[in-house]
Amino acid sequence: MSGVAELAAQLVAIESINPDVVAGGSGEAAVAQFVAEWCERAGLETTLSEASPSRPNVVAVARGSGGGRSLMLNAHMDTVGVTGMADPFAPKIDGDRLYGRGSYDMKGSLAACMLATVEAKRRALRGDVILTAVADEEFASVGTEVVVASWRADAAVVAEPTEMQVVVAHRGFVHLEIETHGRAAHGSRPHLGIDAIAKMGHVLTGLEELDAALRSNPTHPYVGSGSVHASLIEGGQEFSSIPARCVLQAERRTIPGESVSQVEDEIRAIIGRRVSEDPEFSAGVRVLASREPFEVEVNAPIVEIVRGHVARVLGAEPDLVGVSYWADSALVAGAGIPTVLFGPRGEGAHADVEWVDVRDLERCVEIYAGAAGEICA
Ligand SMILES: [Zn+2]
């Protein structure tokens, strides 16, 4: 077993289910302890600190001699749950695959980042390489939020598994709550009531039209268009009452350039159009949560440098791509650090069978270390 596969297997064996995703999950404390001790032994300047109570981050620095640019390598330590998996924490190597929960998302890449940081130290670079092993990516990303508030770098690689492609964009999201206001009345006296659920029908139709309009006009070269869909709906008490209130939760996925206030305006426009046709229509919208989309200039040094090392190691120019999921990259880039996502091939993030390609992990060590060598030279 290669060094990186061995290290990844050790990380997989330590359960670190995000307790906000699955009640009873252990969180990152044990795996963070392991990562911190490993980094300390490897001679990195290591800090273990809580991003929030019992949710630690590890930051380990291969300190440069001074005057060079710095590179951040970011990997999350938490995993999703394991329902339906056989032996999720018994890592197994079969051919080129390492099986187990978190092998692919993303303890394999975490191991590769750890080894690449040690390799950077061995090369005695001028700039710092800053490994950030973070908590809570699978839920609220408090780990990376805290890291980027106190650590700076000139560039970053978020090591999510990307099938050995260089990811330069992903979507963001806005979680919305829309409420229609009616008037309660007994079902036998309809002239006294206003049916809030029926009124929501107009909002739903408006959302469907908005979604069709967005998706018929893809404008972003890597992630196409945004979208919107209904998520949850609630209202009414019983058969014989006209409902006074209906609440819809909906999600708008956004592309780079689309803002939260623009999304709110879209919903207000749907409401406003209906108000002008129906004096009894009354509705409001509020934003419950949002995360920014991510993109990086394709000619930024971090893109060209990572791309160059991928080409060197794989023997072919990698594609620049966008991905549909959200990741911590948006927070890192949002802090003003030019960022790409790059990581190994595999399968089964959040699924019953999860594996990562261990040959890719070896290649990732070489690519991360190569990029660090060039950026921090
Ligand atoms: Zn992940």
Side-chain angles (χ1 to χ4, degrees):
M1 211 188 291
S2 72
V4 69
E6 171 88 50
L7 182 56
Q10 288 177 301
L11 295 167
V12 168
I14 304 169
E15 186 255 295
S16 61
I17 295 172
N18 188 318
D20 288 320
V21 173
V22 180
S26 297
E28 302 84 359
V31 75
Q33 193 66 40
F34 175 91
V35 171
E37 283 168 11
W38 188 96
C39 291
E40 193 78 58
R41 272 201 309 278
L44 303 176
E45 288 178 25
T46 306
T47 320
L48 178 84
S49 58
E50 289 192 337
S52 70
S54 309
R55 308 298 300 274
N57 285 333
V58 180
V59 178
V61 182
R63 186 70 66 194
S65 57
R69 292 180 297 180
S70 57
L71 174 69
M72 181 182 286
L73 297 173
N74 175 283
H76 65 82
M77 298 183 287
D78 58 320
T79 73
V80 293
V82 294
T83 312
M85 289 185 88
D87 292 332
F89 309 115
K92 195 180 86 204
I93 300 247
D94 186 1
D96 282 346
R97 296 178 176 188
L98 166 65
Y99 288 87
R101 174 53 87 227
S103 56
Y104 175 58
D105 185 15
M106 57 182 292
K107 289 174 170 175
S109 344
L110 171 57
C113 289
M114 290 161 72
L115 286 161
T117 307
V118 172
E119 174 61 18
K121 183 179 161 61
R122 200 189 59 79
R123 291 188 194 177
L125 304 168
R126 288 197 300 144
D128 299 343
V129 178
I130 304 158
L131 166 68
T132 61
V134 297
D136 193 39
E137 196 276 341
E138 300 288 0
F139 185 71
S141 291
V142 294
T144 291
E145 224 161 36
V146 166
V147 158
V148 297
S150 45
W151 291 86
R152 308 300 311 157
D154 293 306
V157 177
V158 171
E160 290 280 1
T162 63
E163 313 307 309
M164 303 299 272
Q165 294 175 313
V166 178
V167 173
V168 293
H170 65 63
R171 292 193 187 87
F173 61 84
V174 183
H175 288 171
L176 298 156
E177 190 170 84
I178 304 166
E179 182 170 340
T180 48
H181 316 291
R183 190 187 306 129
H186 193 270
S188 65
R189 308 176 79 195
H191 55 289
L192 297 179
I194 298 172
D195 182 342
I197 296 177
K199 298 294 183 201
M200 187 62 86
H202 297 284
V203 175
L204 289 165
T205 307
L207 290 182
E208 196 178 29
E209 286 166 2
L210 172 61
D211 180 59
L214 290 167
R215 290 201 283 144
S216 67
N217 183 30
T219 54
H220 193 278
Y222 295 104
V223 291
S225 77
S227 59
V228 65
H229 66 92
S231 308
L232 293 159
I233 190 163
E234 191 190 309
Q237 289 100 41
E238 74 268 316
F239 270 112
S240 287
S241 292
I242 292 169
R245 181 174 175 267
C246 181
V247 178
L248 174 75
Q249 292 186 345
E251 181 183 67
R252 172 77 158 82
R253 292 275 166 167
T254 54
I255 58 172
E258 291 180 332
S259 68
V260 175
S261 64
Q262 178 182 342
V263 169
E264 282 180 284
D265 288 347
E266 290 168 351
I267 307 301
R268 289 207 186 93
I270 291 171
I271 292 170
R273 276 200 300 279
R274 192 58 202 161
V275 166
S276 66
E277 292 162 4
D278 174 2
E280 286 192 332
F281 186 87
S282 166
V285 59
R286 64 189 185 110
V287 172
L288 298 183
S290 67
R291 286 296 191 190
E292 293 296 313
F294 156 75
E295 72 178 338
V296 62
E297 290 286 339
V298 293
N299 53 9
I302 185 65
V303 177
E304 301 200 335
I305 288 170
V306 170
R307 203 178 188 186
H309 287 276
V310 176
R312 174 178 64 81
V313 172
L314 295 185
E317 272 290 310
D319 290 331
L320 298 183
V321 300
V323 288
S324 59
Y325 55 79
W326 189 89
D328 277 357
S329 24
L331 298 175
V332 180
I337 304 171
T339 302
V340 296
L341 293 101
F342 182 82
R345 284 171 285 214
E347 234 172 55
H350 308 203
D352 288 359
V353 177
E354 179 174 352
W355 59 270
V356 68
D357 185 320
V358 296
R359 297 288 307 282
D360 278 356
L361 296 183
E362 292 162 20
R363 296 180 184 112
C364 282
V365 175
E366 222 183 303
I367 290 162
Y368 301 150
E374 191 170 340
I375 291 167
C376 309

